[in-house]
């Protein structure tokens, strides 16, 4: 039986050969974006094509906006799966229930549209299969959702009354090649454009612009299907196409993205070019550009907008690139398809290294042991080669694109080998990437996902097993640091390895943005919120940015880890060392500053740090600092140093901080011990200094005039993060489910005794889960000097604790009015033992509401690290409670309990209550990235072992 067009394995019919994408020539252009008539049918079978005929009346149809997805415009619903196909796997067949959208767009040619030449109709992206008619004539059909497709239409155009008809199927044979861990979102989601093609217009051209780093010269040659001339006025170049010319130039790099304005002129068209000179090579086992090895500080990027899905406008794309640059990211892998071509223009202009990935993933075949995988089935090879060609031909003129990637998670097979051979033949001047083939037969680098730190170190040392030829290749983590929910942890340790071993050339965090779709009930929706039969929940929310593109703590942490300047401080000599970690650039575009800051009312003292602007990559300088000021009362003094942008740039504002660090100049003074006051009992109450206790239970009820809503008590439970819960396929133990099974979320507190003596109050307890013989013997010792109340906590484990603790500390409840926090310690954002790089010790203050990190799926968040003292006040300058820790502690405060946080599935489930819940933690377990990567490193675990810590409570604020 002959299959319908949407189910055959061909890439399409009737289209033109792929070619370079460009914008802005002097040829006429008509955008067909905007409002289209739309009709949705539940299936593809039995539909007639009468809507494409001349004179069809679509007045009763709905309307949708193109570019766009019909499921985000009130027609049907999105579907999210990670790897599972949301339909039976029977390639190339798809379900009968196959939502099909018919689109109609009428248009007139603008006045002055040329009568000569031809015209091309271009679709930049349609998911997943389209059939196209113009003025009743069938043009053809195509698959390859994130790839361009063009048709010759000049002979069909009319001055007025043109009708473009497009039938789009949600599912097609192409869907088997597009299983890319994202929302399935059908529709015409990229631009539709009519392009005039004058006589003698350029069709396709290939800009070759290499750089000789020894001679300091660039060589330019533009090969063109149609002969013409190439001019570069700044270089005095005027040559014929196909002719090479060499001249002294400034090279292009992601750090200094130098572009030269040029023009390709043929008999019928003038095309502006932006030329960047660079040479990509594999040199002595390393990826080099312009003779220097690269260190990728990268990120994977899906195209996503919380309201428009993959229909991104140029302003959003620019915002993405600017935000990447502002956070020290220097590279992007276009996971797992070529982006909108305008995004690559921005990478050229603003400066990012790009791994450009083909529109290809067959991940769902893993569930079948790769049986029937199209990547190893000759019937599919033409479709795979078509996708490779459309990727390379479209993007070949971008200097930012230095590596082609065959695709993602497609197993291995003959089709992939054919793609690699075609790409190497067509473009030998770039390198080739593919992660899924451990033999690395067809790649220029050894690429892995989520290898743990120990394995990465073995690879760096050349001690990895595998083919000998592979050990001679550079290593890249194409995905690591899974940024799902709270995390990722362990980034600093990865970066240390990258910088220690030359073979390790960095990696790409998974991924850029949470794919939370704006939803009236949930705030941001994820898998399952649209009634999907199969889904992967919030696994689609694993980005360094929240859906609204605000940075997560993970992005700020990554920025600090990969910052291109390193500071070290020697308090003995009073010097700071500055090291340039760029691959190419000196420090001429940065200004440096030092600041001394004390824990007290004194204002910070600042000044310039005279770093030589010519300091080159890898070079260091040691500079003497002014003596620190004397702090009142021996208060702790910190040194902050920073590097800021000091020249105009197209990616950020002046004074943007590129790199920073803070150091202890003087130690923290000892915390006074509050003792000497005698407890006073009256009935069922005990008074000790400013504290009021229940004499029967020993629980603190009030501090001066502040009545507690919950007494301080030991807490070991935290609401599991996505990384605590882990992924079922991970080899590391998944502790989130174990904690819950063990009962750490429902610990029982048995009172063993309350003892009052001349020096204070002692409360002995046993904290344990039901049905287990594990426990934490906990002794609370309260003392006071009359104005402050000191709590000393001693914890002794009982039983065989085979699991690490989530946290160890004190939890208490304060009145809701005390909702404004001040503290001296890490900030301004959250930090955990393996995520604290962005945390800077200083004085901070904010409303408790702002202390919450708005993860799409609520979970443990908001802890501030290295806190010396914290205050909860009634407003910014109101009265409240002051807490001083010895030693430093983790501090978090929120307006809902842990139980309420644990029960919440979305942000909208969290409602402020009558209390501020405060955690004062002596210890926290690290975060890791086990939602898809490795778990917590051993040095960041929190084991059940004897511990002692103290907190001193006093009143704060007005009149105190």
């Amino acid at each position: 039986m002959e299959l319908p067009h949407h189910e055959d394995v061909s890439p399409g019919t009737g289209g033109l050969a792929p070619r370079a994408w460009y914008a802005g020539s002097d040829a006429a252009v008509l955008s067909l974006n905007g409002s289209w008539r739309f009709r949705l049918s539940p299936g593809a079978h039995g539909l007639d094509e009468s809507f494409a005929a001349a004179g069809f009346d679509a007045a009763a149809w709905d309307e949708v906006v193109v570019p766009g997805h019909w499921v985000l415009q009130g027609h049907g619903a999105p579907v999210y799966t990670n790897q599972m196909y949301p339909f039976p796997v029977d390639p190339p067949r798809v379900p009968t229930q196959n939502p099909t959208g018919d689109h109609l767009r009428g248009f007139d040619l603008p006045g002055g549209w040329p009568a000569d030449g031809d015209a091309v109709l271009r679709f930049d992206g349609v998911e997943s299969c389209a059939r196209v008619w113009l003025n009743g004539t069938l043009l053809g059909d195509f698959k390859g959702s994130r790839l361009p497709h063009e048709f010759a239409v000049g002979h069909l155009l009319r001055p007025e009354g043109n009708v473009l008809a497009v039938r789009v199927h949600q599912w097609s044979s192409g869907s088997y090649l597009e299983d890319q861990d994202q929302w399935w979102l059908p529709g015409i989601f990229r631009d539709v454009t009519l392009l005039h093609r004058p006589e003698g217009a350029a069709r396709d051209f290939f800009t070759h612009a290499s750089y000789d780093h020894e001679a300091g010269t660039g060589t330019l040659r533009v090969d063109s299907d149609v002969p013409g001339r190439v001019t570069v006025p700044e270089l005095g170049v005027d040559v014929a196409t196909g002719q090479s010319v060499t001249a002294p130039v400034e090279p292009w790099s992601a750090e200094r993205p130098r572009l030269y304005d040029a023009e390709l002129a043929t008999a019928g068209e003038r095309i502006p070019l932006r030329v960047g000179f660079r040479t990509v090579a594999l040199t002595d086992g390393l990826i080099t550009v312009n003779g220097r090895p690269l260190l990728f500080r990268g990120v994977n990027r899906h195209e996503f907008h919380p309201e428009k899905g993959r229909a991104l406008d140029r302003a959003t794309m620019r915002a993405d690139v600017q935000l990447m640059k502002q956070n020290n990211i220097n590279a992007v892998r276009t996971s797992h398809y070529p982006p909108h071509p305008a995004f690559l223009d921005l990478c050229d202009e603003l400066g990012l290294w790009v791994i450009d990935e083909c529109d290809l993933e067959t991940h769902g075949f893993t569930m079948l042991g790769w049986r029937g995988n199209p990547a190893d089935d000759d019937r599919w090879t033409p479709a795979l080669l078509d996708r490779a060609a459309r990727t390379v031909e479209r993007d070949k003129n971008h200097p930012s694109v230095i590596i082609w990637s065959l695709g993602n998670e497609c197993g291995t097979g003959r089709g992939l080998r054919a793609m690699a051979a075609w790409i190497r033949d067509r473009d030998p001047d770039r390198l080739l990437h593919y992660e899924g083939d451990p033999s690395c037969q067809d790649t220029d680098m050894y690429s892995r996902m989520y290898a743990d730190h120990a394995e990465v170190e073995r690879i760096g040392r050349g001690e990895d097993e595998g083919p000998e030829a592979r050990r001679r290749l550079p290593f890249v983590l194409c995905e690591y640091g899974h940024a799902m929910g709270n995390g990722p942890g362990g980034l600093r340790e990865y970066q240390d390895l990258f910088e220690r071993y030359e073979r390790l050339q960095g990696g790409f965090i998974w991924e850029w943005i949470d794919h939370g779709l704006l939803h009236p009930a949930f705030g941001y929706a994820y898998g399952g919120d649209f009634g999907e039969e199969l889904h992967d929940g919030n696994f689609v929310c694993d980005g360094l940015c929240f859906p609204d593109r605000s940075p997560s703590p993970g992005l700020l942490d990554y920025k600090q880890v990969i910052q291109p300047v390193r500071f070290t401080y020697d308090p003995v000599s009073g010097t700071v060392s500055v090291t340039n970690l760029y691959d190419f650039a000196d420090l001429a575009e940065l200004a440096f500053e030092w600041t001394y800051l004390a824990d007290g009312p004194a204002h910070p003292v600042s000044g310039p740090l005279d770093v030589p602007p010519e300091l080159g990559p890898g070079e260091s300088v040691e500079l003497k600092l002014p003596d620190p000021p004397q702090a009142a009362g021996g208060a702790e003094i910190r040194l902050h140093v920073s590097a800021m942008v000091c020249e105009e740039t197209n990616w950020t504002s002046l004074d943007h901080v590129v790199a920073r660090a803070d150091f202890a100049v003087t130690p923290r003074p000892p915390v006074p011990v509050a003792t000497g006051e005698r407890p006073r009992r009256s009935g069922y109450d005990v008074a000790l200094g400013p504290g009021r206790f229940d004499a029967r239970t020993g629980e603190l009820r009030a501090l001066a005039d502040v009545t507690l809503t919950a007494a301080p008590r030991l807490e070991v439970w935290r609401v599991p993060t996505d990384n605590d819960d882990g992924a079922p396929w991970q080899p590391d133990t998944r502790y989130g489910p174990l904690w819950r099974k063990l009962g750490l979320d429902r610990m029982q507190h048995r009172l063993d005794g309350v003892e009052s003596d001349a020096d204070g109050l002692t409360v002995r307890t046993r904290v344990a889960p039901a049905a287990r013989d594990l426990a934490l013997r906990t002794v609370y010792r309260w003392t006071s000097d009359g104005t402050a109340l000191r709590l000393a906590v001693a914890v002794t484990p009982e039983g065989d604790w085979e699991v690490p603790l989530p946290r160890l500390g004190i939890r208490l409840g304060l009145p809701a009015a005390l909702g404004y926090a001040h503290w001296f310690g890490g900030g301004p954002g959250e930090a955990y033992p393996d995520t604290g790089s962005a945390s800077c010790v200083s004085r901070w203050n904010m409303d408790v509401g702002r202390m919450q990190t708005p993860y799409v799926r609520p979970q443990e968040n908001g802890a501030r690290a290295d806190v010396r003292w914290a205050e909860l006040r009634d407003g910014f300058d109101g009265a409240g409670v002051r807490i001083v820790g010895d030693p430093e502690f983790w501090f978090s405060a929120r307006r809902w309990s842990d139980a309420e946080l644990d029960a919440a599935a979305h942000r909208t489930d969290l409602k402020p209550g009558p209390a501020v819940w405060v955690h004062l933690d002596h210890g926290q377990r690290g975060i890791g990235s086990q939602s898809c990567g490795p778990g917590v490193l051993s040095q960041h675990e929190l084991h059940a072992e004897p511990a002692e810590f103290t907190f001193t409570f006093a009143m704060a604020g007005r009149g105190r």
Side-chain angles (χ1 to χ4, degrees), residues 135-263:
N135 294 330
T137 299
L138 177 65
L139 301 179
D141 58 81
F142 61 85
K143 309 176 191 80
S145 298
R146 268 67 71 178
L147 294 164
H149 299 271
E150 291 183 332
F151 299 95
V153 297
H155 61 294
L156 298 174
L157 289 174
R158 307 164 182 162
E160 297 180 344
N162 295 284
V163 178
L164 177 59
V166 184
R167 171 164 286 171
V168 179
H169 303 294
Q170 174 157 11
W171 310 120
S172 70
S173 61
S175 302
Y176 286 100
L177 306 180
E178 296 172 4
D179 186 23
Q180 292 146 323
D181 185 12
Q182 60 181 335
W183 293 100
W184 300 88
L185 298 173
I188 305 172
F189 68 93
R190 286 186 186 159
D191 305 291
V192 182
T193 312
L194 184 67
L195 305 133
H196 180 243
R197 299 286 77 210
E199 294 290 340
R203 204 199 75 78
D204 191 22
F205 61 93
F206 197 162
T207 300
H208 304 270
S210 62
Y211 181 72
D212 184 334
H213 64 278
E214 294 181 345
T217 57
T219 299
L220 175 66
R221 186 185 81 248
V222 178
D223 296 330
S224 176
D225 287 356
V226 176
R229 296 198 68 80
V230 178
T231 54
V232 189
E234 188 176 351
L235 299 177
V237 169
D238 185 346
V239 296
T241 54
Q243 180 180 340
S244 296
V245 60
T246 299
V249 299
E250 299 174 48
W252 188 97
S253 72
E255 294 169 7
R256 297 280 170 84
R258 179 65 159 93
L259 293 172
Y260 290 87
D261 290 327
E263 185 178 76

Side-chain angles (χ1 to χ4, degrees), residues 49-377:
E49 298 175 350
S50 60
F51 81 102
F56 182 85
D57 184 6
W61 287 16
D62 293 324
E63 292 187 1
V64 294
V65 173
V66 171
H69 305 278
W70 69 67
V71 292
L72 300 183
Q73 300 184 59
H75 305 279
V79 174
Y80 168 61
T81 61
N82 167 30
Q83 71 179 73
M84 299 179 293
Y85 290 107
F87 47 78
V89 181
D90 182 25
R93 304 297 301 275
V94 294
T96 300
Q97 293 298 312
N98 184 3
T100 297
D102 291 332
H103 300 70
L104 283 174
R105 172 73 151 87
F107 65 93
D108 300 332
L109 296 180
W113 185 270
D116 63 337
D118 201 351
V120 166
L121 177 65
R122 182 182 185 92
F123 295 87
D124 280 307
V126 181
E127 183 175 329
S128 73
C129 173
R131 193 167 176 86
V132 185
W133 296 261
L134 181 61
N135 294 330
T137 299
L138 177 65
L139 301 179
D141 58 81
F142 61 85
K143 309 176 191 80
S145 298
R146 268 67 71 178
L147 294 164
H149 299 271
E150 291 183 332
F151 299 95
V153 297
H155 61 294
L156 298 174
L157 289 174
R158 307 164 182 162
E160 297 180 344
N162 295 284
V163 178
L164 177 59
V166 184
R167 171 164 286 171
V168 179
H169 303 294
Q170 174 157 11
W171 310 120
S172 70
S173 61
S175 302
Y176 286 100
L177 306 180
E178 296 172 4
D179 186 23
Q180 292 146 323
D181 185 12
Q182 60 181 335
W183 293 100
W184 300 88
L185 298 173
I188 305 172
F189 68 93
R190 286 186 186 159
D191 305 291
V192 182
T193 312
L194 184 67
L195 305 133
H196 180 243
R197 299 286 77 210
E199 294 290 340
R203 204 199 75 78
D204 191 22
F205 61 93
F206 197 162
T207 300
H208 304 270
S210 62
Y211 181 72
D212 184 334
H213 64 278
E214 294 181 345
T217 57
T219 299
L220 175 66
R221 186 185 81 248
V222 178
D223 296 330
S224 176
D225 287 356
V226 176
R229 296 198 68 80
V230 178
T231 54
V232 189
E234 188 176 351
L235 299 177
V237 169
D238 185 346
V239 296
T241 54
Q243 180 180 340
S244 296
V245 60
T246 299
V249 299
E250 299 174 48
W252 188 97
S253 72
E255 294 169 7
R256 297 280 170 84
R258 179 65 159 93
L259 293 172
Y260 290 87
D261 290 327
E263 185 178 76
L264 167 62
T266 66
E269 187 176 19
R270 292 181 176 273
I271 302 170
L273 309 178
R274 304 197 78 186
V275 178
F277 293 90
R278 88 287 179 274
T279 295
V280 185
L282 193 62
T283 307
D284 298 327
L286 296 175
I287 301 165
T288 63
V289 175
N290 302 335
R292 298 186 63 89
L294 299 184
L295 184 58
F296 292 119
R297 300 167 173 91
V299 68
N300 287 274
R301 174 187 177 267
H302 268 300
E303 293 186 304
F304 183 77
H305 187 280
E307 297 175 79
K308 301 175 183 177
R310 284 187 286 281
L312 267 62
D313 57 29
R314 282 155 179 77
T316 300
M317 291 182 249
R318 179 173 286 273
D320 274 346
V321 178
Q322 289 176 330
L323 194 55
M324 289 176 188
K325 295 282 290 185
Q326 289 162 12
N327 286 279
N328 295 328
I329 290 167
N330 72 354
V332 62
R333 175 178 174 231
T334 68
S335 53
H336 297 294
Y337 43 82
H340 190 290
F343 179 80
L344 297 179
D345 284 343
L346 292 164
C347 294
D348 295 342
E349 175 191 342
L350 303 181
L352 287 173
W353 308 114
V354 176
I355 296 182
D356 196 353
E357 195 148 87
C358 187
D359 189 12
L360 179 62
E361 180 170 335
T362 63
H363 199 177
F365 284 89
T366 57
M367 300 188 71
L368 310 177
W370 292 110
R371 291 190 311 275
N373 181 20
D376 196 29
D377 185 334

Side-chain angles (χ1 to χ4, degrees), residues 470-541:
R470 192 180 76 186
R471 288 198 292 273
R472 294 193 295 269
L473 294 177
F475 178 76
V476 172
L477 274 171
C478 68
E479 295 180 19
Y480 82 110
H482 196 250
M484 184 176 177
N486 188 335
L491 297 186
R492 169 65 68 189
E493 290 81 358
Y494 274 119
Q495 194 67 22
D496 289 345
L497 293 171
F498 298 159
E499 295 177 7
R500 187 180 311 149
Y501 298 104
E502 188 178 49
R503 184 189 182 194
L504 306 179
Q505 295 201 253
F508 296 79
I509 298 294
W510 186 268
E511 64 157 311
W512 176 238
I513 189 169
D514 285 343
H515 299 199
L517 288 169
L518 197 62
H519 190 285
F522 303 134
Y524 290 114
Y526 47 79
D529 288 338
F530 297 96
E532 301 100 308
E533 176 187 2
L534 296 176
H535 66 85
D536 286 285
N538 68 312
F539 201 70
V540 75
C541 295

